Amino acid sequence: MAMSTLTTDQLSDGRLIVPERVPEGFLWVDETGAWSEDNFLGSFLFALLWCGTSFSFFAVWLFNFLAAPHVGTFLMLLFVGVFAGAGVGMIWKGLRRLKIISTFHPGEVLLASYPLRAGETFRLQFRRPLRRGYTRGPGEITAKWLCYEWVQYRQGTDTETRTHLLWEQDLPLMTVSMGTQVVTYETKLTVLPEGPPSLDAKHNQVRWEIHISVDVPGIPQDTAHFRFEVVPEVV
């Protein structure tokens, strides 16, 4: 199995969610796509406070530099500018997230049976309805089926986190037609017979996940993460 490191935006939040039992099978809901007024207001107010403070300091040091250019003043201006830029990034990220969750309901995945077993092939159904209206143009859905190891450990006084991609598979691309109200995706997946079973220890985990990205006109691309439990193959 190939070993490589995943970036932060490729990771799920790590929670192994117990699916809801429904007549069709087992249902997962991507909670990161759910609307939370308290979380949004808290994050937005923090970003405004951060920006207000950093912009104020930036304006003061910019005025000082323009009034009396000096290397020390310039370096301080750059230092404060980093914090001001971070504030702009937080607001941009928050507005982008707001656009996504105000347009889409959370993504859902349905499996007929669960947990999954090594060597098993199963059918997966994904759906993500728009809250209102329809897609304004054609789009696409891309997906990855992957397994990776997550490790957390102490190094001195710091907590370090490492991830190692053990295996991944790009799944077939599917187009989204213009005028779609519910984005859907269906595919067959196979758990590698030689793949490791899931591990959910506090500081060491083996995660099997599917990442499904929806990209339609007028809405920022968003990826839903679903983590599944894989148990050893029955001999």
Side-chain angles (χ1 to χ4, degrees), residues 38-84:
D38 292 340
N39 287 345
F40 174 75
L41 289 177
S43 300
F44 188 69
L45 290 175
F46 176 78
L48 286 180
L49 179 62
W50 181 289
C51 287
T53 304
S54 59
F55 286 178
S56 297
F57 278 102
F58 183 79
V60 169
W61 284 102
L62 178 60
F63 177 81
N64 291 339
F65 176 74
L66 294 176
H70 187 271
V71 174
T73 308
F74 179 71
L75 292 177
M76 193 64 190
L77 181 64
L78 290 179
F79 177 75
V80 177
V82 171
F83 289 90

Side-chain angles (χ1 to χ4, degrees), residues 7-235:
T7 59
T8 302
D9 60 349
Q10 292 176 300
L11 300 175
S12 69
D13 60 10
R15 293 181 299 161
L16 186 59
I17 298 174
V18 177
E20 179 185 356
R21 192 71 166 91
V22 295
E24 299 87 352
F26 297 85
L27 178 70
W28 285 258
V29 178
D30 179 27
E31 297 297 341
T32 61
W35 170 260
S36 173
E37 184 174 342
D38 292 340
N39 287 345
F40 174 75
L41 289 177
S43 300
F44 188 69
L45 290 175
F46 176 78
L48 286 180
L49 179 62
W50 181 289
C51 287
T53 304
S54 59
F55 286 178
S56 297
F57 278 102
F58 183 79
V60 169
W61 284 102
L62 178 60
F63 177 81
N64 291 339
F65 176 74
L66 294 176
H70 187 271
V71 174
T73 308
F74 179 71
L75 292 177
M76 193 64 190
L77 181 64
L78 290 179
F79 177 75
V80 177
V82 171
F83 289 90
V88 173
M90 282 190 283
I91 288 185
W92 177 85
K93 185 177 180 180
L95 292 176
R96 181 182 184 276
R97 193 69 201 155
L98 177 62
K99 174 66 174 177
I100 293 170
I101 62 179
S102 63
T103 304
F104 279 114
H105 285 286
E108 300 176 349
V109 154
L110 182 69
L111 299 181
S113 61
Y114 189 73
L116 307 177
R117 296 190 178 277
E120 177 183 9
T121 297
F122 60 96
R123 177 171 292 279
L124 176 142
Q125 296 175 294
F126 168 82
R127 66 190 302 272
R128 191 164 190 183
L130 275 72
R131 294 186 184 274
R132 63 186 70 84
Y134 302 87
T135 54
R136 295 184 292 178
E140 63 180 27
I141 302 177
T142 55
K144 284 183 179 291
W145 173 227
L146 66 157
C147 174
Y148 65 93
E149 182 183 19
W150 176 92
V151 180
Q152 189 175 75
Y153 59 92
R154 298 283 293 181
Q155 187 169 15
T157 58
D158 299 326
T159 299
E160 301 288 341
T161 301
R162 295 286 184 269
T163 58
H164 301 286
L165 181 64
L166 304 176
W167 177 83
E168 71 173 348
Q169 177 187 8
D170 289 318
L171 301 175
L173 181 147
M174 186 173 293
T175 57
V176 179
S177 302
M178 179 179 177
T180 297
Q181 206 283 322
V182 181
V183 175
T184 59
Y185 180 82
E186 291 190 21
T187 189
K188 283 187 177 181
L189 302 175
T190 299
V191 182
L192 285 180
E194 67 275 18
S198 296
L199 177 65
D200 196 35
K202 183 177 181 180
H203 299 294
N204 186 204
Q205 299 176 3
V206 173
R207 304 174 181 174
W208 287 86
E209 297 180 358
I210 185 168
H211 299 175
I212 303 176
S213 299
V214 177
D215 188 8
V216 294
I219 307 169
Q221 182 176 353
D222 190 44
T223 301
H225 302 79
F226 301 93
R227 182 182 172 193
F228 304 123
E229 182 182 7
V230 172
V231 297
E233 182 179 11
V234 177
V235 181

